[in-house]
C-alpha cells in the first residue's frame, strides 16, 4: 500500500508539471480587467487591536461605532466572497451598546484601566470559524448531513474570547468537516479569495482568511490539524499562528476526537492582519496557566534569536517532496538577509531527518482513528468501509454524492491508513515521535526555523489537488506539535500573496511571534487586495 501512496504523489507531481502552465495560459488566459472588492474607506478598519483599545479606553471611540463599521465592511465584501455562513449583527450591536454603557459607568480613569485589564478585548469585534462553536449559531461545518445542527454551547476558546470582552459578529465558512485545503461545499458553495476571485482562499479556515484579507475582520479564530490556519494565511496574505500542541483548548470543536492526545495535533489559534496583535490574542485563547507556560509576557531580544532556514526539502534525500515556488523561496531569502543585517546569527538548516516527512505526516493523522469520520453511521461500516468511501468519491466526480470530493479524499486516506500497512504506519509514527526531541534540540529555547508555509501560492478553484500533495510542509509540524507563525511577504507578479513560516521549539511561540513582528516592520505585512480609499 505504501507503494501506492508514492505512486499517487509521483502522478500528481507529473500532472502538476504538465497542467500548471496550461492553466494560466490556455484554460484561464489572463484577463485585461479583474473584478475587485470595494476598497477600505474607514480608517478604523486599518487599526490594530492595540490601537483600537486605546481609543475605546479613552472614549474617543465607541464599540457601537466600531462594530457597525465592521458590519458595513462585511456586507460590502461578502457579496463578492461568500465567506459568511451566518451573521448575528443585531445581537452584536446590542452587545456593543451594553459595552459602551459599561465603559461610561466607570467613575474614574483607574476604573477604566481596571476594566480593560480584566477584559482586554472589551468592545472589539471578532469573527468565528464555524467549527469552533458559537452557541446558538450554525454548526454544520459545511456538511449537508449536519445542515440543521446548531452549537449547543460555546467552544472553550470562543468562551475565553467572549469573557475577555470580544463581540462575535458571524460564523465564517469552512470546507466540509474541515477536510480540505479548499473552502467549497455543497451546502454553502465556494468561498472566494479577495485577491483573485478565480482562486481559493484555502482551508480549512478559508472564510477567516478571506474576511481578514478583505479588511472585514479585526481578527478571527481558526483551527489547524494540517495547515488549516497557515494555508489560508498564505493564500490570503495575513498573519496566522498555529500554537504549540496542547496550549489552546479545542473543547467544543468539530470534528474532534476521543483520543486524549488530539490537542497535540489539533489546535485553535488567531488569524489577523496585524502581527503585533498575535501575542495578546494567543494569551487570551490559551488562558492564564498556559500563557505563563509560554512566557508570552517576557520580552524577547531579537538579536538573541538564532535563525536557521531552508528553501524547502531541497537537499533532503527523499522523492516524495514537492518543489517550492520561486517567489516563496525569494521571500525566505529576503527575510533571512534582513535578519542577518540586524546582527542575528543566520545559517542554512540541515533537515536530513525530514526524509520521510510526507509518510510521517500522513501516518500521524491517519492514526487518529477516534476522530469523527465523514460518512455517517451505517454508510461505512464493516470490512467494506474503504470501498464505500471510494464509491462515494467516484459519485462525487459526477456531482451525485452528498459529500465533496476533497473531503472524501481525506476520508479515504484515513480509512486506508494513508495507503500504508499498519506496521509501516506505526513505524512512521514512532519516527515522528523521535523527531520531536530532535527539533527541540535543533532549535532550543532561542532558535527559529524559517521554512515555506506551502509549496505554491493560492491555486484556482477545483485545482487545489495540485497543492494538496505538498501538505507535508504544514502537516509535519502538527505531528511534531511545534508552534508556527505564517508571515505575509508581499505579492507576486500575479498579485497573489506570498509568505513564509517561522517555526520554533515546543512552547517557544513567543520567538515565532517576535520574528513575525520584525518582518512585518521591515516588509509591510498585509497588503490590501485593493488600495485604500480613506474618507478621513
Amino acid at each position: 500500500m505504501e507503494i501506492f501512496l508514492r505512486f499517487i504523489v509521483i502522478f500528481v507531481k507529473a500532472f502538476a508539471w504538465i497542467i500548471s502552465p496550461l492553466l494560466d495560459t490556455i484554460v484561464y488566459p489572463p484577463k485585461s480587467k479583474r473584478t475587485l472588492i470595494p476598497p477600505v474607506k474607514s480608517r478604523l478598519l486599518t487599526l490594530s487591536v492595540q490601537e483600537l483599545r486605546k481609543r475605546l479606553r479613552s472614549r474617543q471611540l465607541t464599540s457601537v461605532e466600531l462594530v457597525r463599521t465592521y458590519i458595513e465592511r462585511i456586507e460590502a465584501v461578502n457579496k463578492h466572497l461568500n465567506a459568511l455562513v451566518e451573521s448575528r449583527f443585531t445581537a452584536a450591536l446590542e452587545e456593543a451598546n451594553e459595552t459602551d454603557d459599561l465603559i461610561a459607568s466607570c467613575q474614574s480613569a483607574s476604573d477604566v484601566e481596571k476594566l480593560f485589564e480584566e477584559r482586554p478585548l472589551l468592545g472589539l469585534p471578532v469573527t468565528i470559524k464555524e467549527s469552533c462553536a458559537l452557541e446558538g449559531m450554525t454548526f454544520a461545518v459545511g456538511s449537508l448531513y449536519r445542515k440543521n445542527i446548531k452549537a449547543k454551547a460555546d467552544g472553550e476558546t470562543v468562551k475565553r474570547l467572549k469573557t475577555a470582552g470580544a463581540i462575535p459578529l458571524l460564523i465564517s465558512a469552512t470546507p466540509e468537516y474541515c477536510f480540505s485545503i479548499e473552502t467549497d461545499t455543497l451546502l454553502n458553495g465556494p468561498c472566494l479569495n479577495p485577491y483573485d476571485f478565480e482562486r481559493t482562499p484555502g482551508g480549512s479556515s478559508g472564510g477567516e482568511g478571506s474576511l481578514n484579507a478583505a479588511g472585514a475582520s479585526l481578527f478571527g479564530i481558526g483551527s489547524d490539524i494540517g495547515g488549516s490556519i497557515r494555508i489560508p494565511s498564505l493564500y490570503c496574505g495575513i498573519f496566522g499562528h498555529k500554537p504549540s500542541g496542547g496550549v489552546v483548548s479545542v473543547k467544543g470543536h468539530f470534528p474532534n476526537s476521543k483520543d486524549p492526545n488530539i490537542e497535540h495535533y489539533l489546535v485553535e489559534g488567531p488569524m489577523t492582519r496585524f502581527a503585533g496583535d498575535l501575542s495578546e490574542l494567543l494569551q487570551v485563547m490559551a488562558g492564564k496557566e498556559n500563557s505563563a507556560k509560554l512566557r508570552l509576557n517576557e520580552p524577547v531580544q531579537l538579536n538573541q534569536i538564532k535563525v536557521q532556514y531552508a528553501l524547502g526539502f531541497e537537499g533532503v534525500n527523499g522523492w516524495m517532496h514537492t518543489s517550492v515556488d520561486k517567489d516563496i523561496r525569494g521571500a525566505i531569502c529576503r527575510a533571512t538577509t534582513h535578519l542577518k543585517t540586524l546582527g542575528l546569527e543566520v545559517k542554512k538548516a540541515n533537515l536530513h531527518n525530514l526524509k520521510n516527512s510526507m509518510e510521517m505526516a500522513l501516518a500521524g493523522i491517519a492514526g487518529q482513528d477516534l476522530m469523527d469520520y465523514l460518512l455517517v453511521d451505517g454508510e461505512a461500516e464493516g470490512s467494506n468501509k474503504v470501498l464505500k468511501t471510494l464509491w462515494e468519491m467516484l459519485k462525487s466526480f459526477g456531482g451525485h454524492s452528498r459529500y465533496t470530493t476533497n473531503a472524501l479524499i481525506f476520508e479515504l486516506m484515513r480509512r486506508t491508513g494513508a495507503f500504508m500497512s499498519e506496521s509501516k504506519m506505526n513505524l512512521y509514527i514512532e519516527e515522528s515521535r523521535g523527531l520531536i526531541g530532535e527539533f527541540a534540540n535543533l532549535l532550543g529555547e532561542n532558535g527559529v526555523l524559517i521554512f515555506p508555509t506551502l509549496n505554491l501560492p493560492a491555486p484556482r478553484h477545483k485545482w487545489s489537488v495540485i497543492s494538496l500533495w505538498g501538505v507535508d510542509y504544514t502537516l509535519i509540524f502538527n505531528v511534531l506539535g511545534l508552534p508556527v507563525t505564517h508571515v505575509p511577504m508581499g505579492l507576486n507578479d500575479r498579485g497573489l500573496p506570498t509568505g513564509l513560516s517561522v517555526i520554533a521549539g515546543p512552547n517557544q511561540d513567543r520567538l515565532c511571534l517576535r520574528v513575525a513582528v520584525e518582518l512585518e516592520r521591515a516588509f509591510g505585512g498585509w497588503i490590501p487586495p485593493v488600495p485604500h480609499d480613506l474618507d478621513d
Side-chain angles (χ1 to χ4, degrees):
M1 290 289 275
E2 186 184 5
I3 295 174
F4 184 59
L5 171 64
R6 294 183 175 182
F7 171 78
I8 292 174
V9 174
I10 292 172
F11 175 79
V12 172
K13 287 171 70 174
F15 177 77
W17 183 77
I18 295 169
I19 200 68
S20 291
L22 301 179
L23 289 178
D24 290 328
T25 55
I26 298 175
V27 182
Y28 302 100
K31 293 183 178 180
S32 58
K33 188 175 182 180
R34 290 188 302 160
T35 304
L36 302 172
I37 60 172
V40 166
K41 292 184 175 292
S42 172
R43 192 171 297 277
L44 289 178
L45 299 173
T46 69
L47 302 180
S48 68
V49 164
Q50 299 174 50
E51 294 166 318
L52 290 168
R53 183 172 49 237
K54 289 178 183 177
R55 295 193 180 198
L56 287 168
R57 194 167 50 204
S58 63
R59 306 184 193 187
Q60 296 175 295
L61 172 68
T62 66
S63 179
V64 167
E65 180 184 359
L66 177 61
V67 167
R68 183 175 288 120
T69 299
Y70 267 98
I71 290 172
E72 290 171 355
R73 179 62 179 168
I74 292 163
E75 291 176 334
V77 301
N78 190 63
K79 64 183 72 174
H80 300 285
L81 303 177
N82 191 36
L84 182 159
V85 178
E86 185 179 7
S87 67
R88 57 183 307 275
F89 295 155
T90 300
L93 285 168
E94 291 173 355
E95 291 164 12
N97 189 61
E98 292 170 2
T99 296
D100 291 333
D101 289 343
L102 180 61
I103 296 171
S105 69
C106 293
Q107 299 298 310
S108 65
S110 62
D111 289 342
V112 175
E113 290 295 324
K114 183 178 179 182
L115 178 62
F116 277 90
E117 285 177 8
E118 294 173 348
R119 306 182 70 185
L121 302 180
L122 187 63
L124 300 174
V126 60
T127 51
I128 310 293
K129 180 180 179 179
E130 186 173 11
S131 61
C132 296
L134 179 60
E135 182 178 5
M137 302 291 283
T138 176
F139 203 34
V141 195
S143 167
L144 285 174
Y145 175 73
R146 293 174 55 89
K147 66 180 180 181
N148 295 319
I149 294 178
K150 302 287 185 180
K152 295 180 180 178
D154 292 330
E156 183 64 29
T157 305
V158 172
K159 187 187 302 180
R160 287 177 177 167
L161 290 170
K162 290 171 67 175
T163 300
I167 299 174
L169 299 183
L170 56 80
I171 295 297
S172 62
T174 74
E176 188 173 22
Y177 273 48
C178 300
F179 289 173
S180 177
I181 65 169
E182 182 169 354
T183 300
D184 183 359
T185 67
L186 299 174
L187 183 61
N188 302 314
C191 178
L192 309 187
N193 190 313
Y195 292 88
D196 185 342
F197 295 165
E198 292 184 350
R199 297 180 187 267
T200 178
S204 62
S205 307
E208 286 301 320
S210 184
L211 288 168
N212 275 272
S217 174
L218 174 58
F219 66 95
I221 175 174
S223 60
D224 191 314
I225 197 172
S228 293
I229 288 174
R230 293 158 287 158
I231 293 172
S233 295
L234 167 64
Y235 289 178
C236 295
I238 62 171
F239 295 89
H241 182 67
K242 183 204 89 66
S244 294
V247 301
V248 177
S249 173
V250 293
K251 182 180 179 181
H253 188 275
F254 183 90
N256 214 312
S257 173
K258 297 176 182 177
D259 186 334
N261 294 318
I262 186 62
E263 291 192 0
H264 176 82
Y265 300 91
L266 174 63
V267 298
E268 296 183 19
M271 300 174 69
T272 175
R273 290 166 283 146
F274 309 103
D277 288 340
L278 287 170
S279 180
E280 184 175 358
L281 295 173
L282 180 57
Q283 287 186 57
V284 172
M285 292 180 178
K288 189 174 182 179
E289 183 177 334
N290 282 335
S291 290
K293 181 167 70 174
L294 298 178
R295 297 184 286 163
L296 293 172
N297 286 323
E298 292 185 15
V300 177
Q301 298 299 320
L302 184 67
N303 60 7
Q304 298 301 308
I305 298 176
K306 296 182 178 180
V307 179
Q308 299 188 55
Y309 72 94
L311 302 179
F313 291 111
E314 296 172 356
V316 178
N317 292 325
W319 41 277
M320 294 281 281
H321 304 128
T322 53
S323 58
V324 177
D325 174 80
K326 64 179 179 62
D327 294 307
I328 294 175
R329 297 198 309 269
I332 294 173
C333 292
R334 285 186 287 122
T336 52
T337 299
H338 169 72
L339 294 173
K340 196 170 185 177
T341 63
L342 296 180
L344 278 71
E345 179 182 320
V346 178
K347 66 179 183 179
K348 197 161 188 178
N350 181 358
L351 302 179
H352 65 278
N353 49 8
L354 291 181
K355 174 183 177 181
N356 296 321
S357 61
M358 176 68 83
E359 293 90 339
M360 287 187 284
L362 294 180
I365 296 304
Q368 288 294 317
D369 56 356
L370 297 178
M371 190 168 70
D372 296 289
Y373 281 97
L374 184 66
L375 300 190
V376 298
D377 292 343
E379 287 187 311
E381 293 181 343
S383 60
N384 291 327
K385 58 188 178 183
V386 172
L387 291 177
K388 290 178 179 177
T389 304
L390 185 59
W391 174 239
E392 280 295 332
M393 187 191 304
L394 294 173
K395 286 165 57 179
S396 74
F397 293 153
H400 302 300
S401 174
R402 57 175 178 167
Y403 302 102
T404 53
T405 302
N406 284 348
L408 287 163
I409 291 173
F410 188 81
E411 177 95 345
L412 185 64
M413 185 273 294
R414 293 180 62 213
R415 295 282 188 189
T416 59
F419 307 105
M420 304 176 197
S421 66
E422 185 175 354
S423 61
K424 274 286 189 180
M425 187 171 73
N426 290 334
L427 187 66
Y428 287 126
I429 290 173
E430 284 302 313
E431 183 178 353
S432 67
R433 287 172 179 163
L435 201 57
I436 295 173
E438 292 182 36
F439 261 88
N441 292 331
L442 175 73
L443 299 173
E445 293 192 356
N446 65 338
V448 299
L449 171 66
I450 296 181
F451 195 68
T453 296
L454 203 64
N455 58 318
L456 295 169
R460 296 182 185 277
H461 294 289
K462 309 298 185 184
W463 291 98
S464 61
V465 68
I466 292 175
S467 294
L468 180 61
W469 296 101
V471 76
D472 57 331
Y473 281 96
T474 54
L475 182 52
I476 188 64
F477 298 109
N478 291 82
V479 172
L480 299 178
L482 300 179
V484 186
T485 304
H486 173 76
V487 178
M489 289 288 290
L491 308 180
N492 66 13
D493 56 4
R494 292 185 174 273
L496 301 177
T498 64
L500 54 83
S501 281
V502 183
I503 303 149
N507 298 327
Q508 307 300 328
D509 300 55
R510 68 194 188 286
L511 302 181
C512 305
L513 303 180
R514 180 65 184 90
V515 173
V517 168
E518 172 56 31
L519 293 179
E520 178 186 43
R521 186 199 66 78
F523 297 100
W526 169 70
I527 297 175
V530 179
H532 297 331
D533 182 19
L534 301 179
D535 292 332
D536 52 346

